[in-house]
Amino acid sequence: MKLSVGPILYLWERAAALDFYASLCTAPVDIVYVGEVVCSKRRMLTREDWTAVAQRLAAAGKEVVTTTLALLEAESELATLGRQINAASGPFEANDYAAVESANGREFVAGPHLNVYNAATLALLARLGARRWVAPVELPLATLATLAVTRPAGLEIEVFAYGRLPLAFSARCFTARAANRPKDDCGFVCGAHPDGLTLHSRERQPFLALNGIQTQSAAVQNLLPHLPRLRTAGVDVLRLSPQSRDFLDVVRAFDDARQARNGPGLPDTFLSGGYCDGYLDGRAGMERAASAAAATAPP
Amino acid sequence: MTREPPAPTPPPFELVCPAGSLPALRAAVEHGADAVYIGFRGATNARNFPGLNFSWEEAATGLAHAHAQGVRVFAALNVYPGPDNWALACETVDRAAALGVDALILADPGLMAHAAQHHPELRLHLSVQGSATNWRAIEFYRREFGIRRAVLPRVLSCTQVERLVARTAVEIEVFGFGSLCVMVEGRCALSSHVTGHSPNVQGVCSPAQAVRWEETPAGRQSRLNGVLIDRYAPGEAAGYPTLCKGRFEVGSAVFHALEEPTSLNALDVLPRLIAAGVRALKVEGRQRSPAYVAQVTQLLRRALDDCLADGPAWRPPQDLTTALDGLAEGRTHTLGAYHRPWQ
């Protein structure tokens, strides 16, 4: 199985983002997704920065995929989309059907926000140029395994294996709302939350994470304990979603596991929501049924 | 055998009303809907609630009744079927086509391909669950499947709607009244994260079987699969615990962090929407009672007729707004993204 690094879903400082990508050059990952998925206003990295990052990663032997916005409303966002697709030297990740429409025969990755739930949609996208499919986060592994059997020839399957789950998009910026700021004068307050802003229930249960117009899970989905099942189901690529700390430890733990090598394993998550993996078995995503059962199983 | 009445010809601007049952359909038809939209029983549409939706016999009866009154019937099959219910979804498309519905409201591209291939004469509408928020995405569905209409997610500003309409050959339908999704429809997995059931897969959000109400010394509480969604002070009106409309703690503040419990009412921008070339106004609420459907349809019929007669200068009269507020979730309304007070 290959390891991919998903796009940075948060607004990181330019230096932090550049350091992060530099560190990936020597990390045991195969694919790196670069670019912005969440908010068109975020421009911490310039177009030249992104080009340099992509060249550096490619020179280090990584497959570089340019990702694109999930919510496209304004004409300017469509124009940027077209420019990004044209400028990408390799494949791009489509997260809206506007991007699929703009492919024009180019190869692309069908991103997690395209809502692919069946073989007919998968076949359609493959005919239009998709060569990899990132499954929707809520898709159970059993469904994915069924689709893997009849998948179009050559199509790779990628799953969101580690990170706070991207659950929803809105036109409204919830981080700005929490800071009592209008969206047009947001002051880029999301930059203060490099792993999202945790939302708790009134019983202090970490529940969701606000990330601009995106809502995530507070818990980190962690599929590391399930790698053998993922492999059997036909998964080709494991996506690790960037977080501000310990990311290379996460990469190493997954790399050890995919090579059946002993290692220190995964560090405890520094995020307050703990781990979850309920979606894997078609349960509530926030549940931790599978890994909890594994952890408490008699020796 | 009686001859079926011909399919009705739609007016230039349609009022599209919800019907979760035959009595609701009759109420909508009687009170001035130009079209009604229905769903079939089972997990094929985004209002898959117990006791709701149409059997095939009821659908045939409803269709005949609506057509006899010159009202069109659209059928929503707007979940994203997986391998397990793919055959059922295709069969439902085929049976709806054979029944003679005036349009199918679909979200799933694979299912659209099936419909376009096997029923090329049938009108396809892109469901709001299809998440098309720009003309280029709509163009994808037009080019691939020949869709004739798209229902826009409730996230665009009025200006964005105007610009989008100007860029597409596809008819545009927008939401005018009813409960509000603050997330892009079709791009929200919050419900499945908490309950295991989602709009995209099972056609439900924050399903009733996961809801628990508790009376505590601190007040009445609502939980969704154990997660505290809201707590109400004594005497405070308690609403259904749709999870995005709860009160949560962010930093040190407790507030409606995602959305207040309120309804969409687009009448303030109705003249602009009509002038922009929007073709239909949709009312949310297939889960609502026939009495609700009757009242809302009657009020919106009046608004629409007056607006079409008066032109751009029309503004909703206060008595109309008050009457609609009385029917609204939270008894208040918002223009939602059309106006964007939070922008």
Side-chain angles (χ1 to χ4, degrees), chain A residues 73 171, chain B residues 152-164 174 269 272-273 335-340 342-343:
Chain A
E73 297 172 289
Chain B
L152 298 185
R154 284 160 277 192
V155 298
L156 298 178
S157 70
C158 204
T159 304
Q160 286 173 337
V161 172
E162 290 168 338
R163 289 182 181 152
L164 187 152
V174 300
V269 294
R272 276 182 72 183
L273 295 171
L335 268 173
Y338 289 125
H339 174 53
R340 301 189 163 196
W342 34 263
Q343 184 86 24

Side-chain angles (χ1 to χ4, degrees), chain B residues 257-303:
Chain B
L258 300 173
E259 173 64 309
E260 286 92 6
T262 177
S263 277
L264 175 72
N265 179 342
L267 291 188
D268 282 339
V269 294
L270 185 58
R272 276 182 72 183
L273 295 171
I274 292 173
V278 169
R279 292 293 298 275
L281 194 72
K282 188 179 197 107
V283 179
E284 183 276 346
R286 281 191 287 123
Q287 73 284 13
R288 300 292 197 140
S289 70
Y292 172 92
V293 171
Q295 287 173 290
V296 170
T297 303
Q298 188 168 37
L299 292 166
L300 291 180
R301 179 77 266 162
R302 189 186 125 200

Side-chain angles (χ1 to χ4, degrees), chain A residues 188-210:
Chain A
F188 297 101
V189 284
C190 59
H193 309 286
D195 298 287
L197 172 59
T198 303
L199 173 153
H200 297 82
S201 76
R202 287 159 85 179
E203 295 173 315
R204 293 295 301 160
Q205 177 186 3
F207 179 34
L208 300 171
L210 307 179

Side-chain angles (χ1 to χ4, degrees), chain A residues 70-75 77-78 81 95-102 104 113-121 124-125 127-128 137-140 142-144 146-147 165-174 176-179 181-185 197-205 207-208 210 213 215-219 276 279 282-287, chain B residues 80-84 86 108-111 113 129-137 139-141 143-145 154-157 160 163 167 182-201 214 221 223-232 243 247-251 254-260 334 336-337 340-343:
Chain A
L71 175 58
L72 297 145
E73 297 172 289
E75 201 62 32
E77 290 164 346
L78 286 175
L81 173 75
N95 282 311
D96 184 273
Y97 279 95
V100 177
E101 176 65 16
S102 307
N104 276 328
H113 307 299
L114 283 187
N115 283 339
V116 180
Y117 289 87
N118 55 61
T121 303
L124 170 75
L125 290 170
R127 175 169 64 70
L128 294 171
V137 293
E138 67 177 10
L139 201 73
T143 305
L144 192 143
T146 304
L147 296 177
L165 289 160
L167 295 174
F169 290 91
S170 174
R172 179 177 287 194
C173 177
F174 300 112
R177 178 179 170 87
R181 302 188 72 118
K183 189 179 177 188
D184 279 348
D185 184 25
L197 172 59
T198 303
L199 173 153
H200 297 82
S201 76
R202 287 159 85 179
E203 295 173 315
R204 293 295 301 160
Q205 177 186 3
F207 179 34
L208 300 171
L210 307 179
I213 66 164
T215 306
Q216 305 181 330
S217 61
C276 68
Y279 276 139
R283 307 163 70 107
M286 68 178 186
E287 288 181 17
Chain B
Y80 290 87
D84 292 347
W86 177 253
D108 184 72
L111 203 54
Q129 290 291 116
S131 320
T133 55
N134 60 75
W135 64 266
R136 199 174 270 284
E139 180 59 16
F140 168 80
Y141 297 97
R143 186 176 50 74
E144 285 293 327
F145 318 115
R154 284 160 277 192
V155 298
L156 298 178
S157 70
Q160 286 173 337
R163 289 182 181 152
R167 289 300 300 266
V182 67
M183 304 302 177
V184 184
E185 295 91 334
R187 295 260 177 82
C188 182
L190 290 179
S191 180
S192 65
H193 182 60
V194 180
T195 72
H197 289 75
S198 73
N200 283 7
V201 178
E214 297 168 340
Q221 298 183 160
R223 290 183 188 278
L224 196 63
N225 198 16
V227 178
L228 185 63
I229 300 298
D230 213 338
R231 178 183 292 153
Y232 300 92
L243 74 96
R247 275 175 288 200
F248 303 106
E249 194 176 310
V250 182
V254 174
F255 62 113
H256 290 108
L258 300 173
E259 173 64 309
E260 286 92 6
T334 171
R340 301 189 163 196
W342 34 263
Q343 184 86 24

Side-chain angles (χ1 to χ4, degrees), chain B:
Chain B
M1 191 173 159
T2 53
R3 266 220 346 245
E4 283 194 20
T9 311
F13 191 91
E14 275 186 307
L15 178 61
V16 182
C17 294
S21 66
L22 206 42
L25 180 143
R26 289 202 177 99
V29 168
E30 185 184 334
H31 289 89
D34 297 307
V36 296
Y37 64 104
I38 67 171
F40 301 108
R41 296 232 167 93
T44 59
N45 72 89
R47 287 287 184 279
N48 174 26
F49 298 164
L52 208 63
N53 296 318
F54 285 71
S55 69
W56 290 104
E57 293 70 27
E58 288 165 343
T61 304
L63 193 76
H65 176 75
H67 280 186
Q69 306 295 319
V71 173
R72 299 206 288 174
V73 176
F74 307 152
L77 280 85
N78 52 355
V79 295
Y80 290 87
D84 292 347
N85 54 351
W86 177 253
L88 171 68
C90 290
E91 187 196 322
T92 307
V93 167
D94 299 342
R95 288 186 74 171
L99 192 67
V101 298
D102 299 292
L104 277 182
I105 307 172
L106 302 178
D108 184 72
L111 203 54
M112 278 198 198
H114 172 89
Q117 187 188 343
H118 293 92
H119 311 286
E121 75 295 344
L122 185 59
R123 273 181 78 93
L124 298 182
H125 292 186
L126 177 64
S127 167
V128 68
Q129 290 291 116
S131 320
T133 55
N134 60 75
W135 64 266
R136 199 174 270 284
I138 291 170
E139 180 59 16
F140 168 80
Y141 297 97
R142 190 200 64 77
R143 186 176 50 74
E144 285 293 327
F145 318 115
I147 62 160
R148 309 278 291 280
R149 179 178 291 188
V151 186
L152 298 185
R154 284 160 277 192
V155 298
L156 298 178
S157 70
C158 204
T159 304
Q160 286 173 337
V161 172
E162 290 168 338
R163 289 182 181 152
L164 187 152
V165 172
R167 289 300 300 266
T168 180
V170 172
E171 294 175 8
I172 295 300
E173 178 173 320
V174 300
F175 277 89
F177 187 80
S179 291
L180 189 63
C181 275
V182 67
M183 304 302 177
V184 184
E185 295 91 334
R187 295 260 177 82
C188 182
L190 290 179
S191 180
S192 65
H193 182 60
V194 180
T195 72
H197 289 75
S198 73
N200 283 7
V201 178
Q202 288 87 6
V204 294
C205 171
S206 310
Q209 73 265 20
V211 172
R212 204 170 79 228
W213 290 97
E214 297 168 340
E215 301 292 343
T216 76
R220 176 179 290 184
Q221 298 183 160
S222 58
R223 290 183 188 278
L224 196 63
N225 198 16
V227 178
L228 185 63
I229 300 298
D230 213 338
R231 178 183 292 153
Y232 300 92
E236 190 181 7
Y240 187 86
T242 306
L243 74 96
C244 62
K245 295 178 181 174
R247 275 175 288 200
F248 303 106
E249 194 176 310
V250 182
S252 56
V254 174
F255 62 113
H256 290 108
L258 300 173
E259 173 64 309
E260 286 92 6
T262 177
S263 277
L264 175 72
N265 179 342
L267 291 188
D268 282 339
V269 294
L270 185 58
R272 276 182 72 183
L273 295 171
I274 292 173
V278 169
R279 292 293 298 275
L281 194 72
K282 188 179 197 107
V283 179
E284 183 276 346
R286 281 191 287 123
Q287 73 284 13
R288 300 292 197 140
S289 70
Y292 172 92
V293 171
Q295 287 173 290
V296 170
T297 303
Q298 188 168 37
L299 292 166
L300 291 180
R301 179 77 266 162
R302 189 186 125 200
L304 201 51
D305 288 347
D306 290 351
C307 184
L308 288 167
D310 292 1
W314 182 83
R315 291 293 174 274
Q318 189 55 48
D319 67 314
L320 187 69
T321 303
T322 306
L324 285 168
D325 278 354
L327 298 164
E329 180 181 4
R331 306 213 159 251
T332 67
H333 73 269
T334 171
L335 268 173
Y338 289 125
H339 174 53
R340 301 189 163 196
W342 34 263
Q343 184 86 24

